[in-house]
């Protein structure tokens, strides 16, 4: 393993609980494997929303792109190359209003590029970023994992699988708003799993 990419998507940046767990894990994994750690914080540096102009830039053949379209594509290319270079993806994933942070959705919208990160075949779409594992640190105020309310986990797993990342482990810290005892228990369980996996 050479490179670990840590993506923080908390609105609180590095101070977010999900970012802290992701950082704890990525640092421990880097220490035990000698891999280098790259951190991208989507609060500090939010990818823009996908607009008609940006999407048109993605789908225009490279030789025909205007200068502005080239700039739009370059922003997406940078995010894709960063992920392509990583052997492991560590994602900090807070739940906001039952979904993923909007910055993370914008990030995903920049990763999903036909012919670059996925392609269509006669038997359906095939992801092109396989061969890497993802660890997702999902923090929630309430408890949702394993229930129909948890559309977030299914969505993230679906999206990562779509671009070829099928090996995904979720580590949950739930019930963080349900009192000190619940919170301590949830964080201790997440830390125990971090110690186990990163050792
Ligand atoms: C704007 C906002 C919306 C939230 N929505 C939910 C929610 O729908 N369900 C839930 O269980 N917790 C919700 N929470 C609680 C967060 O998931 C919880 O505080 C989590 O630890 C935040 O992670 P972070 O510190 O990394 O940002 C919400 C928090 C905020 C700030």
């Amino acid at each position: 393993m050479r490179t670990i990419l840590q993506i923080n998507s908390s609105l609180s940046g590095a101070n977010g609980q999900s970012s802290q767990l992701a950082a704890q894990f990525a640092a421990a994994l880097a220490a035990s494997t000698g891999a280098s750690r790259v951190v991208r914080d989507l609060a500090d540096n939010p990818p823009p929303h996908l607009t008609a102009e940006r999407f048109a830039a993605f789908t225009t053949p490279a030789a025909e792109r205007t200068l502005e379209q080239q700039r739009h594509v370059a922003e997406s290319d940078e995010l894709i190359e960063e992920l392509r270079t990583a052997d492991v993806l560590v994602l900090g994933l807070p739940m906001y209003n039952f979904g993923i942070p909007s910055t993370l959705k914008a990030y995903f919208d920049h990763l999903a590029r036909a012919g670059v990160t996925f392609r269509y075949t006669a038997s359906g779409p095939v992801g092109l970023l396989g061969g890497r594992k993802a660890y997702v640190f999902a923090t929630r105020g309430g408890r949702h994992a394993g229930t129909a309310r948890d559309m977030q986990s299914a969505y993230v797993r679906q999206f990562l699988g779509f671009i070829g990342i099928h090996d995904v482990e979720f580590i949950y810290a739930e019930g963080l708003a349900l009192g000190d005892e619940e919170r301590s228990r949830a964080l201790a369980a997440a830390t125990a799993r971090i110690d186990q996996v990163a050792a």
Side-chain angles (χ1 to χ4, degrees):
M1 185 191 309
R2 286 179 312 234
T3 309
I4 299 163
L5 173 62
Q6 179 193 328
I7 301 287
N8 297 340
S9 67
S10 170
L11 55 78
S12 305
N15 295 324
Q17 191 61 68
S18 56
S19 311
Q20 290 183 43
L21 290 173
Q24 196 181 328
F25 176 71
L29 194 61
S32 70
T33 59
S36 59
R37 175 161 71 118
V38 174
V39 181
R40 176 172 289 276
D41 193 301
L42 302 180
D44 289 348
N45 199 3
H49 281 146
L50 188 61
T51 58
E53 288 73 23
R54 280 179 184 273
F55 186 64
F58 295 170
T59 54
T60 299
E64 295 167 27
R65 285 176 191 142
T66 63
L67 270 179
E68 195 191 16
Q69 287 181 323
Q70 288 172 31
R71 276 196 292 271
H72 289 334
V73 172
E75 287 182 57
S76 160
D77 283 348
E78 184 189 343
L79 299 175
I80 291 168
E81 281 318 302
E82 188 175 67
L83 179 53
R84 205 193 296 281
T85 307
D87 306 292
V88 173
L89 170 66
V90 178
L91 174 62
L93 178 70
M95 180 181 278
Y96 295 147
N97 302 318
F98 303 100
I100 68 169
S102 55
T103 49
L104 183 63
K105 179 60 166 65
Y107 173 74
F108 283 170
D109 287 341
H110 281 71
L111 293 183
R113 294 257 308 278
V116 181
T117 55
F118 69 92
R119 68 187 162 83
Y120 291 109
T121 69
S123 51
V126 173
L128 301 176
L129 291 183
R132 49 189 52 70
K133 173 153 186 162
Y135 295 91
V136 179
F137 289 87
T139 58
R140 287 100 182 257
R143 296 190 157 280
H144 309 285
T147 74
R149 287 190 306 282
D150 187 6
M151 291 164 281
Q152 191 199 45
S153 301
Y155 167 73
V156 169
R157 191 179 286 284
Q158 171 70 28
F159 180 79
L160 293 177
F162 180 67
I163 59 171
I165 305 175
H166 297 285
D167 190 359
V168 182
E169 176 170 344
F170 281 79
I171 293 134
Y172 294 97
E174 293 200 300
L176 298 179
L178 302 180
D180 291 345
E181 209 175 305
E182 278 288 292
R183 183 182 174 81
S184 302
R185 203 180 4 240
L187 293 176
T191 297
R193 184 67 187 141
I194 287 171
D195 292 345
Q196 205 174 39
V197 179

